[in-house]
Amino acid sequence: MSRYPRAVCVYCGSRSGNEPAWKEAAAALGAGLAARGIEMVYGGGNVGLMGAAADAAMAAGGRVTGIIPRDLEVREHGHRAVSELHVVDSMHERKLLMAKLSDAFVSLPGGLGTLDETFEILTWRQLRFHDKPIVLADIGGYWQPLLDLLNAQVEHGFVDPAHLSLMTVVRSVEDVFAVLDAAGP
Ligand code: AMP
């Protein structure tokens, strides 16, 4: 029987932030994916949490596929030591390929790019362009202000509460795996 999910997309910061717990979570996620034989798909950088997750997955013998736009390859330091690095022409191509190659999505702490990626994949699910699990890893309460905003959006009548349940919020990497392990195709 083939494993599900076969590949998981990780969205996270190209910086590490200022709490060691975030880098530790990125490394634990990468290593945990490798230990389960799940391919890690990500933005292809070797910096910040992206690099920490990819390095840990590779060190644990996992398969890591990076996807990076040509223009960013130099700026964001394309990772040369991953299993496969796709260099694509645009950010749109990158995000589409990351989505296509993945069976589920996990967002760790990150910056504007992580927000953009998380909400793009969430809105695509809201519009029924896909029905793959999305997990927001609220490590150390990093995403709490965002969750407050989302709840306010529901309260003010701009967001259907059912659409918020298209993204599962967890507090630890262990709980990310609990969600992934329970997910079915
Ligand atoms: P960040 O969370 O801003 O550190 O970025 C995390 C990832 O998102 C990196 O791979 C960035 O290349 C990517 N990214 C940054 N800005 C954008 C954007 N405007 N749209 C999509 N992805 C972005």
Side-chain angles (χ1 to χ4, degrees), residues 128-150:
R128 302 197 189 157
F129 294 161
H130 73 89
D131 194 23
K132 301 174 184 177
I134 302 167
V135 185
L136 183 73
D138 181 29
I139 310 295
Y142 176 74
W143 290 121
Q144 193 54 53
L146 180 71
L147 297 171
D148 292 343
L149 173 64
L150 293 174

Side-chain angles (χ1 to χ4, degrees), residues 12-14 50 72 76 91 94-95 110-114 116-117:
C12 61
S14 56
M50 299 169 75
L72 270 191
E76 214 168 73
M91 198 59 115
R94 176 206 234 180
K95 294 197 289 182
L112 301 177
T114 304
D116 171 80
E117 292 164 336

Side-chain angles (χ1 to χ4, degrees), residues 35-46:
R36 286 165 174 78
I38 301 174
E39 177 180 347
M40 174 178 145
V41 175
Y42 85 119
N46 73 355

Side-chain angles (χ1 to χ4, degrees), residues 39 62 67 75 80 90 108 117 120 133 143 150 159 174:
E39 177 180 347
I67 302 152
R75 235 186 308 153
R80 294 274 146 221
S90 69
L108 289 169
E117 292 164 336
E120 182 169 74
W143 290 121
L150 293 174
V159 174
E174 205 175 88

